[in-house]
Amino acid sequence: MTKTAGELLVTPMTEQRSEIAQLGEFGLIDRISREFNLRNKSSIKGIGDDTAVIDAGEDYVLLSTDMLLEGIHFDLAYTPLQHVGYKAVAANVSDVAAMNGKPEQIIVGLGLSNRFSVEAVETLYQGIRAACENYRVDLVGGDTTSSASGLVLSICIVGRAKKEKVTYRSGAKANDIICVTGDLGAAFMGLQVLEREKQVFLSNPEMQPDLEKYQYLVGRQLKPDARMDIIYELDEMELVPTSMIDISDGLASEVLHLSRQGHLGVKLFEDKIPLDNLTYDTALEFNLDPIVTALNGGEDYELLFTIRPTDFEKIKKHPDIHFIGHTQADESQNIMISKQGTVVPIKAQGWDHFKGSGKR
Ligand code: ADP
Ligand code: MG
């Protein structure tokens, strides 16, 4: 019997059915990327880095997209709409920063269910506008559609970098110094606080949320900032990192990307990993090991990069860049030296949307 176009589209090529959860997000992406080769000379870097890299003549153009789904990436019970807009732009800018580039344009795809009013959309765009002003980005287009299940926000970003300055996830050499900006784990703890207060509110709507004490953490969760300031500073110092990635899935997962793509091992020192005091105390309050919030939390949007040892002098006094370890030639050795001096293997437990790990 001849199949209709619709049937052809949904029929898998074989009878076999594999669960996405078994492959995980990265396994799935690997599998997709195996089926595609780059055919245009201008496609310099395809799948596998924070952005694609496209030859645009004098410069490289950087291209990336990121999607936020209501109920998966944000909960409107405690996330103001303007923050959703701001965060979606910041997450995209962060990927351009991770390539050592500067963002220029965004295009916004919007899916709306009929719960959302014109005023709600305006509020969302207030956040998008604030981020556009902050990062000096132009909103140049988009697409709007109705959605069956809540709000969908998908942003595509275009950035630019001088060819010799683009920084890939690969590129580190053995004995490069591993650097991280800011502090880690705060956004993850902010999410735990917000979730807890939501549960308290649901069981007793009379209760007012007690967020004052956790302001820094909640702010890091709801209004993260991409570290473009660091990119401008590295530019001024004439320092090009040997490799770079932004921390959206947790330090462990990201450092393993640098290791895998650079064919190197990494050695981190627990006591060098930057944690804010409030992150530390709040993790203990939640019965969590504070270092786990940095290693396996997510959405920090800080930068993780490697530098040649000879460049250390240039940034060693920077107040917001921390030197947490170094790369090593043995690819199989990805380890952290704990505060007690024991050797702990680094394992990724980043945010895996398909494994139902309890994180988003
Ligand atoms: P990031 O955390 O920096 O946004 P991701 O982990 O989302 O990066 O993606 C890793 C790489 O896989 C990127 O190069 C991205 O463009 C690519 N990628 C992700 N999803 C898909 C997909 N569905 N099809 C093709 N490429 C994808
Ligand atoms: Mg990234």
Side-chain angles (χ1 to χ4, degrees), residues 8 82 132-133 138 147 153 160 182 205 237 239 241 263 322 340:
L8 279 173
Q82 61 265 51
C132 283
E133 276 166 25
D138 298 319
S147 146
L153 183 59
R160 186 177 290 273
M237 289 185 258
L239 198 167
H263 306 291
H322 310 278
Q340 294 77 32

Side-chain angles (χ1 to χ4, degrees), residues 284-347:
L284 293 182
E285 188 188 323
F286 278 73
N287 284 324
L288 293 169
D289 182 348
I291 198 67
V292 169
T293 68
L295 290 172
N296 296 333
E299 302 189 293
D300 295 306
Y301 298 109
E302 296 292 345
L303 292 170
L304 173 70
F305 57 95
T306 52
I307 58 164
R308 290 179 201 91
T310 46
D311 279 332
F312 181 60
E313 277 298 312
K314 291 188 194 166
I315 54 169
K316 69 175 188 192
K317 295 225 169 79
H318 196 292
D320 211 23
I321 297 177
H322 310 278
F323 310 100
I324 61 170
H326 60 82
T327 53
Q328 47 191 12
D330 185 350
E331 217 176 308
S332 65
Q333 287 285 309
N334 290 308
I335 53 171
M336 183 176 80
I337 308 300
S338 76
K339 285 182 185 162
Q340 294 77 32
T342 52
V343 177
V344 187
I346 300 173
K347 295 207 185 78

Side-chain angles (χ1 to χ4, degrees), residues 183-184 186 216-217 274-281:
D183 60 81
L184 303 177
Y216 176 65
L217 308 180
L275 289 176
D276 185 81
N277 286 341
L278 189 58
T279 305
Y280 191 93
D281 293 345

Side-chain angles (χ1 to χ4, degrees), residues 42-59:
S42 54
S43 304
I44 304 295
K45 176 76 195 173
I47 297 174
D49 220 302
D50 291 289
T51 74
V53 178
I54 295 161
D55 194 338
E58 200 182 330
D59 295 334

Side-chain angles (χ1 to χ4, degrees), residues 14-25:
T14 65
E15 291 302 315
Q16 192 190 342
R17 183 192 153 91
S18 322
E19 298 306 323
I20 293 174
Q22 275 175 336
L23 268 183
E25 184 178 338

